[in-house]
Amino acid sequence: MSGQSLLVPGELSPIRSVPGSIRRPEYVGKPAPTPYTGPEVQDSDTIERMRIAGRIAARAMEEAAKHIAPGVTTDELDRVAHEFMCDHGAYPSTLGYRGFPKSLCASVNEVICHGIPDSTVLRDGDIVNLDVTAYINGVHGDNNATYLCGDVDEESRLLVERTRESLNRAIKAVKPGRQINVIGRVIESYAKRFGYGVVRDFTGHGINSSFHSGLIIPHYDSPHATTVIQPGMTFTIEPMLTLGTHEYDMWDDGWTVVTKDRKRTAQFEHTLVVTDTGAEILTLP
């Protein structure tokens, strides 16, 4: 694995402004969102609005990813995605969610998830996950992907490729009538072939007018994930695979999650709607 030094927190830039004309999610300015009490199965109008939100989130992530290069800060990636979403009438869902201060999550190397963009400078050989969610027309679209920065070592590159493949396999396993745990079973069985850890405490989730509806999508074979998949359900699948342990530590910022052994980790995510025969990806650019 790359001999890069471990990450340390950088300096935060001021919170970015959002035009007043853009509708805010209800949780902005509050300590926590109002618990979701609606259905997990969405009507056709909600799904169509989620397609729009998902497309904007995917394109914002794609635009930010174009700037990934040695010498670029994670804060600069945040700026690009923030401006793209605002320019397209969307609110960056993470901005102000439970106090999160930025418009995307940028998780580098050993950071599993929820890395806060700051003055950290990307280095040749890093891998970086961007997690972007857009809110527009009253609904959210959530996606993430892990990208290579410069000349990345083979072990890390394979981890990224295989994490993407684990998501693809999980999406294909989504069928009405199956239980949610089929998703984690597929991911875990694939990851075990390579000796990867599968993060357990951070999961996929239901998403609609709520950023996190309360529906949990584990990425391991959980005996408790017995909810039956139904057409019209909307949720994310977002496996996090590691080169070592699935256990983690959290930085003092209360957000940044790093592998306990500080080995590298990758993640990919799509927002899906269940169809009569499988699943449609809503976060395609």
Side-chain angles (χ1 to χ4, degrees):
M1 191 183 74
S2 170
Q4 299 279 40
S5 58
L6 297 178
L7 292 169
V8 295
E11 296 295 320
L12 287 180
S13 65
I15 291 176
R16 303 186 197 282
S17 62
V18 176
S21 59
I22 293 177
R23 177 179 171 184
R24 273 72 169 154
E26 59 82 23
Y27 52 73
V28 174
K30 295 164 53 177
T34 302
Y36 178 71
T37 57
E40 297 297 346
V41 172
Q42 305 304 310
D43 60 28
S44 58
D45 173 68
T46 301
I47 292 166
E48 183 54 39
R49 286 183 284 130
M50 289 182 68
R51 283 193 185 95
I52 296 169
R55 192 175 306 124
I56 291 172
R59 291 174 61 198
M61 183 175 73
E62 191 176 65
E63 197 62 34
K66 292 177 183 176
H67 293 74
I68 292 174
V72 175
T73 65
T74 54
D75 188 65
E76 173 64 8
L77 304 179
D78 181 79
R79 182 194 66 78
V80 172
H82 177 93
E83 292 182 0
F84 185 95
M85 285 185 274
C86 291
D87 287 348
H88 289 80
Y91 185 91
S93 300
T94 59
L95 184 61
Y97 179 78
R98 297 184 181 271
F100 192 84
K102 292 294 174 182
S103 298
L104 58 69
C105 299
S107 302
V108 181
N109 295 344
E110 70 269 20
V111 179
I112 294 172
C113 58
H114 304 158
I116 300 174
D118 58 17
S119 62
T120 296
V121 175
L122 296 177
R123 302 161 296 183
D124 186 57
D126 283 344
I127 60 174
V128 55
N129 177 272
L130 301 183
D131 193 336
V132 179
T133 310
Y135 177 80
I136 189 170
N137 299 326
V139 296
H140 300 268
D142 185 3
N143 69 161
N144 75 55
T146 303
Y147 299 91
L148 310 182
C149 181
D151 185 16
V152 174
D153 67 90
E154 180 75 355
E155 185 179 39
S156 299
R157 187 182 62 77
L158 286 172
L159 173 69
V160 171
E161 286 183 8
R162 290 164 176 167
T163 305
R164 181 192 291 110
E165 176 63 15
S166 77
L167 173 59
N168 292 339
R169 290 175 179 232
I171 292 171
K172 290 176 183 175
V174 174
K175 306 284 184 187
R178 292 179 173 177
Q179 293 182 343
I180 288 291
N181 58 13
V182 70
I183 295 168
R185 188 178 310 133
V186 165
I187 292 167
E188 187 173 39
S189 63
Y190 179 71
K192 278 184 173 179
R193 288 167 49 181
F194 311 104
Y196 295 154
V198 180
V199 173
R200 301 167 78 90
D201 290 354
F202 300 91
T203 68
H205 53 89
I207 184 170
N208 37 65
S209 59
S210 171
F211 195 171
H212 298 86
S213 72
L215 176 66
I216 301 298
I217 312 293
H219 302 122
Y220 65 98
D221 188 5
S222 169
H224 306 295
T226 56
T227 299
V228 175
I229 298 170
Q230 302 176 60
M233 291 177 78
T234 49
F235 54 81
T236 72
I237 304 176
E238 45 189 295
M240 291 151 263
L241 305 187
T242 71
L243 289 175
T245 182
H246 68 269
E247 296 180 346
Y248 67 91
D249 294 319
M250 187 174 288
W251 283 3
D252 292 342
D253 61 22
W255 283 105
T256 307
V257 180
V258 295
T259 53
K260 188 169 279 293
D261 57 13
R262 303 303 190 264
K263 291 186 177 180
R264 288 187 168 189
T265 174
Q267 181 183 16
F268 284 83
E269 173 188 22
H270 276 305
T271 295
L272 312 171
V273 58
V274 181
T275 68
D276 290 337
T277 57
E280 175 194 345
I281 299 173
L282 297 178
T283 38
L284 291 175

